Amino acid sequence: MYNEFSYIYDKLSFDIDYKKYSENIIKIIEKEKINTENALELAAGTGRLSEYLIDKFKNYDALDYSSDMLSVFQKKNYPNVRFFNMDMVEFLNKNSYDVIIILLDSINYITDKDKLIKLFENCYCNLKEEGILIFDINSPEKIINVFGNESYVYEYEDIFYTWENEFDGKFVDMYLNFFVKENDRYKRIEEYQKERLYYPNEIEEILENIGYINIKNFDEDTMKETNSNTMRILFKAKKEKED
């Protein structure tokens, strides 16, 4: 996603409370008494969330499919971070991580359910015993009623953009047109994205079938039980200790 314009991505994510979301993750880790030696963040992007988490771990691996996004992240020069430029569904590094993190719509962008199952299976393999997977999804309420078949127009500093959605009951197709000011002209950049609607019970069933335990979800903005106003749902799931 956003592989042509990491600048735009960073500029337009001003309304995402990365610090708050990172604190949610840290609280879960502390409550579950998870080791903090090795962490993996999938779909890490330009590192906006990562910068609040990196110093909590001895080693931090960051993976993203977009080399442009990772190049922005790499320029921030964190000595304990390794970078991987590949599809997160395919990534395998068995029994290596205490924590795996996947946030901010990344799961919804996996529109093939079989690929989602494979991702969760590989995460299970990549976790150490009693390691924890923490991820979020856009809630059904957000996909259906906020994205839906809606159109939006935004202007922020030097960027003007339109956002038109088409929702068929399972998938939402998003057509974005960005106009970025360059001197006295605007450069137009077109972007197409697609997200899939996933229900919490559907996600939990996948996790249970793989073998995860202690599965729980929260309203990501309040860390309380989800309700009809929940926009993002945060999940935690643990890898069982082998006998």
Side-chain angles (χ1 to χ4, degrees), residues 169-186:
K170 181 182 288 187
F171 303 102
V172 56
D173 296 287
M174 296 177 277
Y175 303 89
L176 299 102
N177 281 277
F178 295 88
F179 300 87
V180 182
K181 192 171 185 180
E182 295 182 347
N183 299 318
D184 59 345
R185 296 185 178 184
Y186 281 87

Side-chain angles (χ1 to χ4, degrees), residues 25 30 128:
I25 291 169
E30 289 176 347
K128 299 177 184 178

Side-chain angles (χ1 to χ4, degrees), residues 4-216:
E4 293 183 44
F5 44 92
S6 53
Y7 166 78
I8 293 175
Y9 180 86
D10 267 0
K11 197 94 181 243
L12 296 181
S13 60
F14 64 90
D15 60 339
I16 299 174
D17 195 341
Y18 292 102
K19 188 173 187 295
K20 177 186 175 71
Y21 290 163
S22 70
E23 288 170 351
N24 292 341
I25 291 169
I26 293 165
K27 286 177 183 176
I28 291 173
I29 291 168
E30 289 176 347
K31 185 175 180 180
E32 296 288 332
K33 298 180 180 178
I34 304 297
N35 291 330
T36 55
E37 184 177 6
N38 297 327
L40 168 66
E41 184 182 350
L42 300 176
T46 60
R48 293 292 301 278
L49 175 72
S50 320
E51 64 188 54
Y52 295 103
L53 295 169
I54 288 168
D55 64 358
K56 303 295 181 183
F57 298 91
K58 181 179 178 181
N59 304 300
Y60 200 93
D61 287 354
L63 180 149
D64 201 273
Y65 189 74
S66 168
S67 58
D68 290 339
M69 301 281 266
L70 280 183
S71 68
V72 174
F73 193 165
Q74 287 174 306
K75 290 175 183 175
K76 297 175 182 178
N77 294 319
Y78 293 103
N80 64 328
V81 179
R82 293 191 304 173
F83 296 94
F84 298 86
N85 177 208
M86 63 179 292
D87 183 348
M88 67 179 179
V89 173
E90 304 296 332
F91 183 72
L92 268 176
N93 188 11
K94 294 183 179 180
N95 303 312
S96 297
Y97 301 104
D98 303 293
V99 181
I100 297 178
I101 300 159
I102 319 170
L103 249 61
L104 301 172
D105 301 21
S106 302
I107 295 297
N108 296 96
Y109 282 120
I110 303 175
T111 56
D112 183 332
K113 189 173 179 179
D114 288 338
K115 287 187 177 181
L116 180 64
I117 294 170
K118 183 176 181 180
L119 170 66
F120 287 153
E121 287 175 340
N122 284 348
C123 285
Y124 193 86
C125 289
N126 292 339
L127 284 169
K128 299 177 184 178
E129 289 182 17
E130 299 188 289
I132 196 167
L133 171 65
I134 301 173
F135 65 95
D136 68 7
I137 62 170
N138 279 327
S139 68
E141 174 69 20
K142 185 175 180 181
I143 295 287
I144 295 168
N145 295 317
V146 178
F147 288 174
N149 288 295
E150 301 294 335
S151 298
Y152 299 96
V153 177
Y154 296 96
E155 185 174 8
Y156 182 70
E157 294 184 355
D158 58 344
I159 301 170
F160 174 87
Y161 70 102
T162 62
W163 178 1
E164 299 175 272
N165 296 334
E166 295 177 1
F167 180 57
D168 66 2
K170 181 182 288 187
F171 303 102
V172 56
D173 296 287
M174 296 177 277
Y175 303 89
L176 299 102
N177 281 277
F178 295 88
F179 300 87
V180 182
K181 192 171 185 180
E182 295 182 347
N183 299 318
D184 59 345
R185 296 185 178 184
Y186 281 87
K187 179 181 179 181
R188 180 180 179 180
I189 302 172
E190 296 178 88
E191 179 78 1
Y192 166 74
Q193 298 181 19
K194 186 171 188 172
E195 291 196 20
R196 176 170 176 158
L197 167 65
Y198 287 109
Y199 288 95
N201 60 340
E202 182 180 12
I203 295 289
E204 289 173 4
E205 182 179 2
I206 294 171
L207 295 171
E208 287 171 358
N209 289 339
I210 291 169
Y212 288 94
I213 61 170
N214 298 346
I215 301 163
K216 190 172 182 181

